Amino acid sequence: MAKAPVAGRVKTRLVPPFSYVEAAALAEAALADTLEAAVASSADDVIVALDGPVGDWLPPGCRVIAQSSGGFDQRLAAAWEDAAGPGVQVGMDSPQISPADLDEALVALDDHDAALGLCEDGGWWAIALREPDRRVFLGVPMSRPDTGARQHERMRSLRLDTATLPIRRDVDVAADVAAVAALAPTSRFARAVDVTGVQL
């Protein structure tokens, strides 16, 4: 799931200390890093459910589908239905994830119905499902400190045997930027942070 990195439309919670243009540049770098990891993973198909236009940040080997309308829970459900089959979903907020992280989530589906990776802030950075099911997402409140817990509870209520993935930090606010960049110092995201010159 991704938004096109257009200034004023993405990562606006990073403003200030970053400008809207800088926030969009960070979002673009994070998205490119995430897609690079996905393409390098063992996934047979890399799908970008995109809100907005495609840019030169899109690497070869990705298939783009448009996000549906509605709340984020509805868009998540629709993206899974469009993708079909087993898979792992990530957003563009965790540029430090590696192909191995994504493969771990995919391998978990060999022995489990699902897998969930929580974030330090209470959200989630990855969810894997053996079979798409709209009920996994619909009605789960998103972008809240208890989103991860509520998502896990929904999966339990559907009797999905859910593996636990490692906890990660994602980029939601300015305080996250330097910490995540330090986890992947050679990434596009880290280079983009350096270019801004913002002291955090």
Side-chain angles (χ1 to χ4, degrees):
M1 297 289 285
K3 275 187 178 180
V6 176
R9 291 195 68 239
V10 293
K11 291 298 166 198
T12 56
R13 284 189 287 176
L14 302 184
V15 181
F18 299 96
S19 70
Y20 287 111
V21 171
E22 289 169 338
L26 293 175
E28 179 173 333
L31 179 53
D33 285 332
T34 303
L35 293 177
E36 182 179 72
V39 169
S41 75
S42 62
D44 296 326
D45 194 14
V46 177
I47 301 169
V48 185
L50 182 64
D51 175 5
V54 171
D56 57 10
W57 42 263
L58 184 76
C62 295
R63 178 161 60 95
V64 177
I65 61 175
Q67 286 188 29
S68 69
S69 59
F72 193 47
D73 60 331
Q74 295 170 306
R75 287 180 280 143
L76 284 167
W80 272 94
E81 287 186 338
D82 288 342
V88 56
Q89 179 171 357
V90 295
M92 56 190 286
D93 300 332
S94 304
Q96 77 275 31
I97 63 172
S98 67
D101 291 324
L102 300 175
D103 287 343
E104 180 181 358
L106 288 170
V107 168
L109 297 179
D110 291 342
D111 301 310
H112 300 83
D113 301 317
L116 183 64
L118 299 178
C119 290
E120 292 180 7
D121 65 1
W124 55 266
W125 66 272
I127 188 168
L129 295 173
R130 190 180 291 170
E131 296 288 343
D133 187 339
R134 294 178 66 85
R135 298 174 300 169
V136 172
F137 303 105
L138 293 181
V140 176
M142 299 292 167
S143 301
R144 294 182 6 173
D146 63 345
T147 291
R150 298 284 290 272
Q151 185 66 74
H152 199 191
E153 176 57 35
R154 173 62 62 83
M155 295 163 83
R156 283 197 297 266
S157 73
L158 294 172
R159 301 184 184 280
L160 295 178
D161 177 21
T162 303
T164 300
L165 301 174
I167 295 174
R168 297 279 184 255
R169 185 168 184 170
D170 62 355
V171 180
D172 283 328
V173 296
D176 299 318
V177 172
V180 171
L183 296 172
T186 63
S187 65
R188 292 179 183 84
F189 183 76
R191 293 196 298 272
V193 174
D194 288 342
V195 166
T196 68
V198 173
Q199 298 297 312
L200 296 170

